[in-house]
Amino acid sequence: IDDVRSTNGGLAFQNTGATINVSNSMFDGGAGIGVALTNLTGTFSMTGSTVTSAGGGFRIEGGNGAISHDGAVTQTGAASAIDIRNRTGGTVTFGGPVTANTGTATGINLQNNAGTIAFTGNLDIDTTTGTGIDLNGNTAPVSFGAMTQVDVAGAGTGVDFQGTTGGAVTFADLDIALQAAGVHADADRAAIGL
């Protein structure tokens, strides 16, 4: 898939083991989700492309295929920029910048994943009463390899590790500006590196 431009409609694949390559494209999900991948067991690679949405930037549900995206993800509404849930294995890598202004929603939502997740680009997350980054029930390593900036303007939480039972969580550079809670963690249940 090459050189696709979408407006008010994103990209979606589900229940496939195929190898999927997407390049030089722009997906604007509008009020919906920019990219939605459900139960993929094959390889999904997105290069030289951008994802923008108000209804959810990039959502991955289930599956164990290798997934990578090297471009920008921009979220402009009350939904998660990145939402990854119930992965049974494999690796997910985001190599580009992630920018989110989520209001009451969680910026980066990682729930119940048994596969490795890595962010190697800068993250800039603004929320009011939501959570900047929520890691719950993940049993494999999660890493943030560049600058991670979380701004909480209201009663939200910067980073929440509660319920993380295994797998190291590492931040190369974490900066949280907040008015209320900063980091919630069950520190005895997961290795957390800052």
Side-chain angles (χ1 to χ4, degrees):
I1 301 172
D2 183 62
D3 196 22
V4 174
R5 303 288 186 270
S6 77
T7 303
N8 294 322
L11 178 70
F13 291 99
Q14 61 183 0
N15 304 321
T16 179
T19 296
I20 303 168
N21 296 309
V22 181
S23 59
N24 306 314
S25 297
M26 298 174 61
F27 297 99
D28 183 346
I33 296 173
V35 174
L37 308 175
T38 305
N39 296 325
L40 298 192
T41 56
T43 299
F44 177 92
S45 175
M46 181 178 285
T47 58
S49 302
T50 61
V51 178
T52 304
S53 181
F58 214 110
R59 175 153 189 182
I60 302 170
E61 173 76 33
N64 58 12
I67 296 172
S68 63
H69 170 49
D70 69 2
V73 177
T74 303
Q75 172 65 28
T76 59
S80 296
I82 308 291
D83 190 340
I84 306 174
R85 308 182 190 198
N86 305 315
R87 292 269 296 167
T88 59
T91 300
V92 176
T93 304
F94 286 92
V98 177
T99 304
N101 194 333
T102 65
T104 60
T106 296
I108 306 291
N109 190 39
L110 310 177
Q111 306 285 326
N112 303 316
N113 296 295
T116 299
I117 301 171
F119 296 87
T120 60
N122 291 336
L123 276 63
D124 184 356
I125 302 167
D126 297 324
T127 187
T128 53
T129 56
T131 298
I133 300 173
D134 193 354
L135 304 105
N136 190 353
N138 303 296
T139 59
V142 178
S143 62
F144 300 84
M147 176 66 181
T148 301
Q149 172 73 46
V150 180
D151 293 316
V152 182
T157 298
V159 180
D160 193 342
F161 299 94
Q162 295 184 94
T164 295
T165 59
V169 179
T170 58
F171 289 87
D173 188 353
L174 175 62
D175 185 1
I176 301 175
L178 66 152
Q179 293 186 12
V183 176
H184 288 170
D186 291 335
D188 59 330
R189 302 177 66 189
I192 301 168
L194 299 176

